[in-house]
Amino acid sequence: MKSNSNSKGRLQNIKWDRVEEKFIPIVLGVSGIALFLYVIWLGIVSIRHNLVPYNITLAAGKETGESYIISEALAKVVARKHSNIKIDVCETDGTGDNIKSLEDKALEGGAKCLSGRELTQKEKLKADLGTAQADIPPGMSTRIVANLHEDHFQLLVDPNKIQLPKNIEDFSFDAVKGKKIQTPSGGGQLISFENIAKYFLGDDYENPFFTENGKPDGQFFVRVLGNDKVSKRIQEDGWKLVPIKQIEALKQTKYPAYLPSKIPQGIYQGSPAIPKVDLETIAVKRTLLARESVDDSVIEKITKVLIENRQEIKEEIIKIANIREEMYEEAKQKGRKVEDNTFDPETIHTLLNLFGQPENSDVQIHKGALNYYESDQPSWVQEHVDILGLVLAFLVVVIPFILTQINQFQQRKLDEANEVVDGYIDKVVESMKSDTHNPGYNLTVNELIQRLEELFKQQEQLNQLFEEASDSLDRQEIFQSQFQSFTEAYKSAREVVKQAINDNQRKILASYANHLKELLNRLDAGESCDSLLIELDQLRIEATDKLLEERIFSRESFQTFVDTYNFVRDAMERCKKG
């Protein structure tokens, strides 16, 4: 019995060994295939999220508004962080058209996009993202992404047309009844003003709202505190901010998005304070909305950039402000009439700290944004730490080699770029070796003109060098910092040449003026009028031939010579007649 039992046990072990021999390879093979397929799936998802291009349209309101400026800066940072996501920021009439764009409805005021697209009234923009006041409800298919900042209701009145109480905080909204209050022709600001006007003055109230033409009695803004347009009305026109009261009643009965707030004393001027006291008013959230259908991963990445890359957004806002300032100044210098779209970036920087997750909103949060806000849950990395460990072990070997190659390549590029820039600077120095500082005393007019032509050639050589350096920068043969070093050398050299040109031009004019003075002295000394007139006319002909060339002298300076010439000639004519 014992022998039979041992035999059965050995037989069972043999059977299990054979099962293991077949089963283990199968399990390992299936596991390997599953792992391979999983890695392939992860790759496909990664490609879809990171390589497939997404063209996003963002309806952002007026170009001069804070929302548009923030949107433009956000688009640039997103493009830098995620090259497959391109956001086309479009100027619209405001919240009203932004919401219509998200619902495939026709625009009221048209749109103009950074990409160059332009839409007229009644066309459809079909935006993917849009900024909006929180008190204007969007459609059912629209989702909220983030709160951007708070806008404040700011009502200004002309004290010459609307009587104000002794204490401004006692102002009553009844005072605007029958008055023309300027509001944008479309968008959320007009709706917001209608809401409070009908609350205070009755639902049947029909105020002759001032929109575009004529002279208003007041103006209503829904903008951030410190807004440039509000400040301009106060500083240049002497208009007064007035309070808007009963906010809690408005919030509890009709408009839950209204938030009690104040316009702080001195927000628009410190001394004397404007306003003189804190004024009650309404604040509303400025939100970023999205279509529900926009890919979750795209919204998640945009939300992440918005919340986590505020410093880069701030830097882009400064660049936008500088570009607008330069373009506006250039247009003014050329005599073109353009709208002043400049702004102080500092008024917007404080808003960046207000970006955040929507709370207590009636609008559902977009799933992609929610994925970001709930990212404190176990991440994909934490869930797949074992697989990543294997990958990391492989990368530990590969990455140092790759980094070494990259560093060597970058060093070669840097050395090549330095050589290029040094070559340009050497050429600038070489072009300055001619004697530009020679005072040129006792030179004839022809010698001065010849010297002036040489200076113009130097100037042209410098300009050609600058163009070559700019082309090198465009071709990425040199870096921005190196181009800046060359630019400083170029500006210094060009200033020296310009000064030398001005000095020579003055000497040419002085030479002719001295000749005229000499003729006049000879006339006073009793020399023949006829011979002096002949010499005077010859001098005029010579000066006309040479000074009318713009490069040699300006027409304005030539006119100075002509006036002097006429004075001398009149003296000789009187001598001849006398």
Side-chain angles (χ1 to χ4, degrees), residues 359-413:
E359 296 178 356
N360 304 320
S361 174
D362 293 334
V363 183
Q364 186 176 343
I365 299 178
H366 194 285
K367 186 178 178 181
L370 196 60
N371 289 342
Y372 170 76
Y373 294 129
E374 295 179 349
S375 58
D376 56 342
Q377 297 178 359
S379 66
W380 182 90
V381 172
Q382 293 170 325
E383 293 178 354
H384 302 87
V385 65
D386 294 337
I387 298 173
L388 290 176
L390 295 174
V391 175
L392 183 60
F394 172 74
L395 294 179
V396 165
V397 178
V398 175
I399 286 180
F401 173 76
I402 295 175
L403 290 178
T404 300
Q405 296 300 314
I406 291 174
N407 287 335
Q408 292 176 353
F409 173 75
Q410 289 178 337
Q411 187 59 47
R412 287 196 300 271
K413 291 289 289 183

Side-chain angles (χ1 to χ4, degrees), residues 113-160:
C113 305
L114 288 179
S115 64
R117 283 192 300 161
E118 292 193 25
L119 291 88
T120 59
Q121 290 179 330
K122 306 307 178 184
E123 287 191 276
K124 295 180 180 180
L125 178 59
K126 296 184 178 180
D128 304 289
L129 296 171
T131 61
Q133 295 172 207
D135 59 326
I136 311 299
M140 296 296 293
S141 62
T142 301
R143 299 290 182 263
I144 190 169
V145 174
N147 286 333
L148 297 179
H149 55 81
E150 284 187 354
D151 284 328
H152 287 71
F153 288 15
Q154 300 179 69
L155 178 59
L156 294 100
V157 300
D158 184 347
N160 297 317

Side-chain angles (χ1 to χ4, degrees), residues 192-229:
S192 296
F193 183 75
E194 290 176 340
N195 289 342
I196 60 173
K198 290 183 178 180
Y199 173 81
F200 285 107
L201 305 175
D203 289 338
D204 58 344
Y205 174 65
E206 295 182 359
N207 189 50
F209 293 127
F210 174 88
T211 55
E212 295 179 359
N213 300 312
K215 295 182 178 180
D217 306 316
Q219 188 166 0
F220 179 76
F221 296 90
V222 183
R223 285 288 179 261
V224 299
L225 295 174
N227 178 268
D228 289 341
K229 286 191 173 181

Side-chain angles (χ1 to χ4, degrees), residues 129 143-147 288-292 294-304 306-307 356-358 364-376:
L129 296 171
R143 299 290 182 263
I144 190 169
V145 174
N147 286 333
L288 179 63
L289 305 176
R291 287 177 184 260
E292 182 184 14
V294 179
D295 189 276
D296 294 345
S297 68
V298 173
I299 296 298
E300 183 176 357
K301 290 174 181 175
I302 292 174
T303 308
K304 179 180 176 67
L306 182 71
I307 302 300
Q357 180 177 354
Q364 186 176 343
I365 299 178
H366 194 285
K367 186 178 178 181
L370 196 60
N371 289 342
Y372 170 76
Y373 294 129
E374 295 179 349
S375 58
D376 56 342

